[in-house]
Amino acid sequence: MKTLRLSALALSFAAFLAACGGGGTTAPSVTAPAAPLFTPGAGVPNTVGSFSRLVVFGDSLSDGGAYFPLTSGGAATNGIGGKFTTNSGAGPNGTVANPLANGSMVWPEMLATNLRIATTPAVVGAALGPAGSAENVVACPAAAAGAAAANTCTNYAQGGARVSNPQGIGRPTAAGAGALTYSMDRQITNHLARFTNFTANDLVFLFGGNNDIFVQFSTFAASGQTLAQAQANVRTAATQLVGLTDRVLANGGRYVAVMTLPDSSRTPFGRSLPSDDARFVLSGLVQLFNQTLLAGLNGKNVQVIDAYTLNNRVIDNPGTFGITNNTTPACDSAKISAATSGSITDGSSLFCSTTLNLGPAGTGTLAAGASATTYQFADGVHPTTKGHQVLTDAIAAEIKRFGWTN
């Protein structure tokens, strides 16, 4: 029955997308935004910026180590991981080094390095108790190194975060520790509380909505809502992201870039779904989000970076980008489970390591033959170090095309 239900709904979704303008071809390319869905406003900057801060709002695709305390808790996790990627960097006693210091970089850190600035997590910690009713956090851990370092605490992205709903993926619903999942709305509020406003020296990125789509898709797949309800909720999340962009602009944001979402149906997670119909529905929700986002941003003084098109190009032509595998995760779920004494069984790259010493010979938690520098995906949806480098290169090329960098 579920297969038949998905088949019928996939057909209706095809008609719906056609009526809205079709699939991903209406999104802007990574070389030039396309009419009619998005054209930047006349007031968007086209001159080189003097950037002193890289400010990022989003989810796990941009998380620079917000949950390191969850992965460094001694025997339960062996002190491994820290970011949603193929973590590396040797620490004491065979553990992985604190990723806030020298673990594998994710794209905001790579881009900041290119710009000769730095970005570090705005907060690290965990939510505790039912629905995260309590929190154990350290704000701006880099501040311990001095005032200059405190100015780098501008990566607000957190794994599991949604656009405006505080109950993100991984936040506790019962007793125990879990993810903070500060919504992008709260992330912006926290930035304004600390810095008062945005300045012309801030390079600002908004990259989120993935978790809103995952929540709506999983609720639909479990027969918890109709497809029409899932679509409406996805539209709402995209519209809320437009509103958050307006908020950044209203509070002084000048160099502001918003990123479309990659097609999660083409990730290893998407490939693991039980049918093409399920993948079609998931892809349709991503496209609907992007279409709504682009239409809402049209004419505003922002630029769009099209991660949707970039991801499709990489998947279709992996060798062009130096990638040898984009269908299976680099991280081995069985090895992660063994390294965490059975605490983590889903293969999450948050607990993945290329260097963890698991025995006398020393080995990481990568699958046999896998590599952080040739595989695209660390786990079902998150990039490896290579995947983040490809994304960084594309973003760097785009902001140069915008005229924001030399």
Side-chain angles (χ1 to χ4, degrees):
M1 290 298 293
K2 183 173 289 187
T3 300
L4 291 175
R5 176 173 183 264
L6 279 168
S7 297
L9 289 170
L11 290 173
S12 67
F13 214 147
F16 170 80
L17 287 172
C20 287
T25 57
T26 55
S29 73
V30 291
T31 57
L37 283 186
F38 175 76
T39 301
V44 69
N46 58 9
T47 56
V48 175
S50 298
F51 302 123
S52 58
R53 288 192 302 221
L54 181 65
V55 186
V56 180
F57 304 111
D59 53 33
S60 56
L61 293 181
S62 309
D63 188 331
Y67 300 136
F68 180 65
L70 286 175
T71 71
S72 61
T77 60
N78 250 331
I80 67 174
K83 301 176 188 177
F84 294 86
T85 187
T86 40
N87 296 277
S88 66
N93 302 318
T95 66
V96 171
N98 184 333
L100 309 186
N102 65 348
S104 292
M105 293 192 291
V106 293
W107 76 262
E109 298 161 309
M110 292 179 181
L111 183 63
T113 299
N114 291 350
L115 298 172
R116 295 181 176 84
I117 55 179
T119 184
T120 63
V123 60
V124 301
L128 308 171
S133 53
E135 295 174 353
N136 181 11
V137 301
V138 175
C140 190
N151 197 50
T152 71
C153 298
T154 53
N155 185 344
Y156 295 85
Q158 295 184 354
R162 297 172 66 180
V163 174
S164 65
N165 192 320
Q167 193 62 42
I169 296 174
R171 192 170 177 90
T173 56
L180 292 168
T181 70
Y182 290 173
S183 69
M184 293 178 70
D185 188 13
R186 179 172 176 180
Q187 292 170 22
I188 293 172
T189 295
N190 289 348
H191 179 83
L192 293 174
R194 184 153 184 259
F195 293 101
T196 306
N197 57 18
F198 297 90
T199 76
N201 300 120
D202 293 335
L203 178 56
V204 184
F205 290 90
L206 295 95
F207 187 18
N210 293 286
N211 293 314
D212 292 272
I213 288 172
F214 287 141
V215 168
Q216 301 310 324
F217 175 73
S218 62
T219 303
F220 160 72
S223 300
Q225 64 179 344
T226 66
L227 181 60
Q229 290 170 327
Q231 291 171 349
N233 291 336
V234 165
R235 282 196 205 94
T236 296
T239 302
Q240 290 169 340
L241 184 51
V242 173
L244 295 185
T245 306
D246 287 338
R247 189 178 174 198
V248 171
L249 294 172
N251 283 278
R254 288 277 293 142
Y255 292 86
V256 181
V258 184
M259 298 172 67
T260 62
L261 299 183
D263 188 349
S264 46
S265 76
R266 305 197 70 189
T267 64
F269 163 74
R271 292 174 182 272
S272 74
L273 292 173
S275 69
D276 288 340
D277 293 327
R279 284 183 285 276
F280 188 90
V281 170
L282 177 58
S283 180
L285 291 175
V286 174
Q287 293 178 52
L288 176 60
F289 183 96
N290 287 340
Q291 291 168 355
T292 306
L293 177 66
L294 291 170
L297 293 175
N298 188 47
K300 296 184 184 295
N301 293 329
V302 300
Q303 288 284 8
V304 166
I305 296 176
D306 189 14
Y308 179 92
T309 295
L310 170 67
N311 190 62
N312 284 345
R313 288 180 178 175
V314 175
I315 289 176
D316 291 338
N317 305 281
T320 302
F321 299 88
I323 291 172
T324 62
N325 186 306
N326 58 17
T327 60
T328 55
C331 302
D332 188 304
S333 59
K335 291 182 180 179
I336 292 174
S337 178
T340 61
S341 302
S343 299
I344 307 299
T345 59
D346 63 358
S348 171
S349 60
L350 181 62
F351 299 87
C352 182
S353 162
T354 64
T355 55
L356 178 67
N357 186 356
L358 294 177
T363 184
T365 57
L366 298 189
S371 167
T373 58
T374 60
Y375 275 47
Q376 183 176 355
F377 293 101
D379 57 19
V381 294
H382 298 105
T384 58
T385 300
K386 177 66 174 182
H388 276 288
Q389 185 63 66
V390 170
L391 179 58
T392 303
D393 291 344
I395 293 172
E398 285 293 84
I399 62 175
K400 182 177 181 179
R401 183 177 66 82
F402 300 154
W404 294 358
T405 60
N406 291 316

